């Protein structure tokens, strides 16, 4: 488990542990404590029974922390929900991709990801 910090107002009561994080810098440069929102290029949750929580509570937490990109892999629905353009009220851009539709992460647009590759 690798907890992360979120927005200061949320951080006192929330310490989420995403399934995957993509750091903006090498992990060895994070000397103490949890990765901070500015350290995170992307957060990913793998959802089975937690889908509603991941799309609701977690999406709002990550948006308020200004995490640029948040992906939810919906295993049962076999699609990927990509959240971008974070703000105080949530993500301004949310799109769902089928398991064979390629998605390019903002942090590495030269790479494609297919959900079917992990299903």
């Amino acid at each position: 488990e690798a907890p992360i910090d979120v927005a200061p107002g949320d951080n006192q009561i929330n310490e989420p542990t995403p399934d995957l994080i993509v750091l903006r810098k090498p992990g060895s440069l994070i000397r103490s404590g949890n990765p901070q929102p500015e350290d995170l290029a992307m957060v990913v949750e793998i959802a089975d029974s937690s889908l509603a929580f991941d799309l609701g509570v977690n999406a709002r937490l990550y948006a308020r922390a200004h995490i640029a990109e948040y992906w939810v892999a919906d295993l049962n629905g076999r699609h990927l929900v990509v959240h971008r353009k974070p703000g105080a009220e949530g993500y301004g851009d949310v799109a769902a991709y089928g398991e064979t539709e390629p998605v390019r992460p903002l942090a590495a647009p030269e790479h494609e990801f297919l959900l079917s590759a992990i299903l």
Side-chain angles (χ1 to χ4, degrees):
E1 292 185 16
I4 62 171
D5 285 344
V6 287
D10 293 323
N11 209 35
Q12 294 177 357
I13 57 172
N14 293 289
E15 192 175 70
T17 54
D19 295 310
L20 175 74
I21 60 174
V22 177
L23 297 170
R24 294 184 186 279
K25 59 185 178 183
S28 61
L29 296 178
I30 299 173
R31 298 278 182 217
S32 61
N34 299 334
Q36 301 298 304
E38 61 271 11
D39 298 327
L40 302 167
M42 184 168 76
V43 171
V44 179
E45 295 283 3
I46 309 297
D48 185 3
S49 61
S50 65
L51 181 63
F53 187 81
D54 291 333
L55 292 175
V57 173
N58 276 344
R60 288 187 297 277
L61 280 174
Y62 298 146
R64 283 193 299 264
H66 298 284
I67 295 171
E69 191 163 25
Y70 171 49
W71 290 8
V72 178
D74 175 6
L75 299 182
N76 294 322
R78 301 181 74 83
H79 66 277
L80 182 68
V81 182
V82 176
H83 301 74
R84 294 177 173 154
K85 298 184 182 173
E89 300 300 317
Y91 282 92
D93 183 11
V94 179
Y97 295 85
E99 64 184 293
T100 59
E101 292 180 88
V103 182
R104 294 180 182 274
L106 295 175
E110 68 279 8
H111 296 287
E112 277 187 354
F113 174 81
L114 294 172
L115 184 61
S116 61
I118 65 166
L119 294 178

